[in-house]
Amino acid sequence: MAKMQLTLYAACKDGNDVLTALHNVFQKEIKEVKEENKNISFLLHTQTKIDMEVCDDEEMVRQQMEGMSNFFANVPCENKMLLKKLCIQISLFHCIFAIVIDTAKEERTHVLKMIFEAAKACHGFLLYPDMCLYTADGDLLMGMDGTSGVEDFSLCGEEDALQQVSLPSAYDMEVFVSIGKEFERQGWLYPNCMLNKQILFSQIHLPKKEDIGKRALALYALAWFSKLCLEDDKEQRQQFEEFKQRFSLEHCLTSQEASLLKKDTLDKQQAVELLSKFECANMLFWSLGYDGGSSWDVCDVEKMKEWIMQYASFEDFLNHCAIKDEKDIYTQYVRVFYAEHFYMQSAMLYVPLSLQEDVVSERLRACKWLCDGCE
């Protein structure tokens, strides 16, 4: 007798469906069944023993699936669409069965065949200890070295979950690969496939130019005010008051933002935190044609002030602005999205960076607001 291990990942929502499928395929061969909490054992007439530990806790499954998705997103596979579909499939898994089989060598192939049959009935995939993932048909879907026995596969899972799936287009893949080449030239870490949290081009809905302008001016006002609180420059404060009046800033601010700007000053910590809003404003101004902050260097508040104050009013400002093409904004979003991912990965690996965390985070916040209205 020899032991072998594998893990069954199933896209059905009820773990009992997996257990039923296993019962059904081994029905005529089962001699004894033992159940204890989340552990189930089958003893077959051939003395083969199959031990299973079930994990269907939503939070634990989510954590394991995120780790598994991140692992496969970084395997060196040339078929980017296959990798992306694999990561989507992983997000559809709802329960995990860790399986240990103790069987005679001559029985091994038969027992494995039965487990693959059960996987078919519950939208399942099987992962071997060497991190090779197989479809229920026994095809190698992905190995840890990026090899695969298939060019494509069909996503499977619960119908309602499948209806929410959006597959990337050829254009999405083109942008992803293009940004990857940029990162490669910089020597930055970049995944081999799109991460599931990335917005696709078909999903973006740009705000109106007027709304972008108002939000950008409001965020810039917060950053400028925080700088005034840190430096306490009277001449600059007079210019700030002129700025507020010229652009009718009260129509751009939320009630909370308006109350902040009515204060005489802010404590140092709050002022430093608000100063980072400059980068959010910088990205929104960029979407309207401002080109002073396209690099990863922190932009100069004074330089942006010169650009803004050349306009006589909010209407004059809007008349001289034009929203960038959707594709340009989408490309910038993808660039910043993976810059933040790179920052997070690098922080865990203690890689020294030229980027600043708050710069990346604020630019991503602005890009998300531009793409899907979620600040």
Side-chain angles (χ1 to χ4, degrees):
M1 305 288 277
K3 290 185 177 181
M4 63 175 298
Q5 300 178 0
L6 64 159
T7 308
L8 192 157
Y9 293 92
C12 57
K13 290 183 177 179
D14 190 346
N16 288 324
D17 291 344
V18 181
L19 191 56
T20 298
L22 288 163
H23 265 291
N24 289 341
V25 297
F26 285 107
Q27 187 174 15
K28 296 179 181 179
E29 304 179 39
I30 293 175
K31 180 180 179 181
E32 184 181 355
V33 178
K34 290 184 179 179
E35 295 189 33
E36 183 178 351
N37 297 324
K38 294 283 186 177
N39 299 315
I40 301 104
S41 295
F42 291 170
L43 179 64
L44 308 185
H45 291 294
T46 58
Q47 298 307 305
T48 289
K49 189 178 181 183
I50 305 173
D51 293 321
M52 294 166 284
E53 183 179 352
V54 185
C55 176
D56 56 5
D57 177 78
E58 186 175 338
E59 181 59 23
M60 290 183 66
V61 170
R62 184 190 65 78
Q63 290 177 3
Q64 288 202 42
M65 293 305 94
E66 285 185 358
M68 188 177 176
S69 181
N70 284 335
F71 172 82
F72 280 111
N74 289 287
V75 300
C77 178
E78 293 298 321
N79 190 337
K80 306 301 183 188
M81 181 59 83
L82 180 67
L83 265 182
K84 177 57 183 172
K85 288 185 72 174
L86 169 57
C87 289
I88 292 174
Q89 181 62 65
I90 290 171
S91 72
L92 296 171
F93 292 149
H94 290 285
C95 54
I96 306 166
F97 274 63
I99 303 173
V100 178
I101 304 167
D102 193 359
T103 186
K105 187 175 181 180
E106 59 270 18
E107 287 289 316
R108 179 174 172 173
T109 301
H110 170 70
V111 174
L112 280 175
K113 182 181 178 182
M114 294 295 99
I115 291 177
F116 274 96
E117 284 296 319
K120 285 183 182 180
C122 58
H123 306 307
F125 292 74
L126 288 159
L127 183 72
Y128 280 41
D130 60 357
M131 292 304 289
C132 287
L133 185 67
Y134 290 84
T135 69
D137 292 323
D139 296 321
L140 174 62
L141 182 53
M142 191 62 62
M144 65 183 300
D145 60 355
T147 57
S148 177
V150 299
E151 287 294 319
D152 196 8
F153 74 102
S154 298
L155 294 171
C156 61
E158 300 286 340
E159 186 176 347
D160 60 339
L162 287 173
Q163 289 175 348
Q164 297 175 27
V165 169
S166 295
L167 289 173
S169 66
Y171 178 69
D172 290 310
M173 298 304 299
E174 178 186 328
V175 173
F176 174 78
V177 171
S178 173
I179 299 300
K181 290 177 180 178
E182 285 185 20
F183 275 47
E184 185 179 352
R185 289 192 292 270
Q186 296 275 5
W188 295 356
L189 300 172
Y190 195 73
N192 283 319
C193 83
M194 293 181 193
L195 300 179
N196 286 343
K197 292 180 180 179
Q198 181 197 321
I199 300 169
L200 302 179
F201 182 66
S202 62
Q203 297 170 327
I204 71 170
H205 302 284
L206 297 183
K208 295 177 181 178
K209 183 171 70 170
E210 181 180 359
D211 293 334
I212 298 174
K214 286 182 176 180
R215 188 87 290 254
L217 288 168
L219 291 167
Y220 178 69
L222 293 174
W224 188 359
F225 180 62
S226 66
K227 188 171 184 291
L228 292 175
C229 293
L230 291 169
E231 297 178 352
D232 196 23
D233 186 319
K234 292 183 179 179
E235 183 179 345
Q236 288 287 326
R237 282 185 177 270
Q238 291 177 350
Q239 291 181 11
F240 183 67
E241 292 301 318
E242 180 188 345
F243 161 73
K244 289 195 297 182
Q245 293 176 12
R246 183 184 300 188
F247 293 98
S248 304
L249 206 64
E250 67 274 9
H251 300 302
C252 305
L253 302 167
T254 65
S255 57
Q256 184 180 11
E257 291 165 351
S259 64
L260 276 174
L261 296 187
K262 287 179 181 177
K263 294 183 177 182
D264 292 330
T265 190
L266 302 172
D267 64 65
K268 186 174 181 180
Q269 182 178 349
Q270 190 176 29
V272 170
E273 289 175 356
L274 273 182
L275 190 58
S276 67
K277 294 299 177 186
F278 171 82
E279 286 304 327
C280 206
N282 179 36
M283 189 57 67
L284 296 185
F285 283 134
W286 168 84
S287 74
L288 293 174
Y290 176 63
D291 60 0
S294 57
S295 72
W296 289 118
D297 297 325
V298 179
C299 198
D300 188 345
V301 174
E302 293 298 315
K303 183 178 180 181
M304 185 175 285
K305 181 177 68 175
E306 291 175 7
W307 176 69
I308 295 171
M309 295 299 281
Q310 68 180 310
Y311 302 111
S313 64
F314 180 66
E315 290 72 21
D316 184 32
F317 164 72
L318 280 186
N319 288 337
H320 286 85
C321 291
I323 301 179
K324 286 188 181 294
D325 184 81
E326 280 190 350
K327 290 186 175 181
D328 291 335
I329 291 176
Y330 175 69
T331 300
Q332 185 73 311
Y333 157 73
V334 175
R335 182 179 290 112
V336 178
F337 177 85
Y338 286 104
E340 186 186 59
H341 175 71
F342 163 58
Y343 190 96
M344 298 294 291
Q345 294 294 313
S346 300
M348 290 189 289
L349 296 171
Y350 301 101
V351 176
L353 293 177
S354 60
L355 304 183
Q356 294 190 30
E357 181 179 10
D358 56 348
V359 173
V360 177
S361 297
E362 289 300 328
R363 291 190 183 186
L364 179 58
R365 190 188 303 274
C367 285
K368 283 183 175 179
W369 185 86
L370 284 168
C371 289
D372 65 4
C374 179
E375 187 176 5

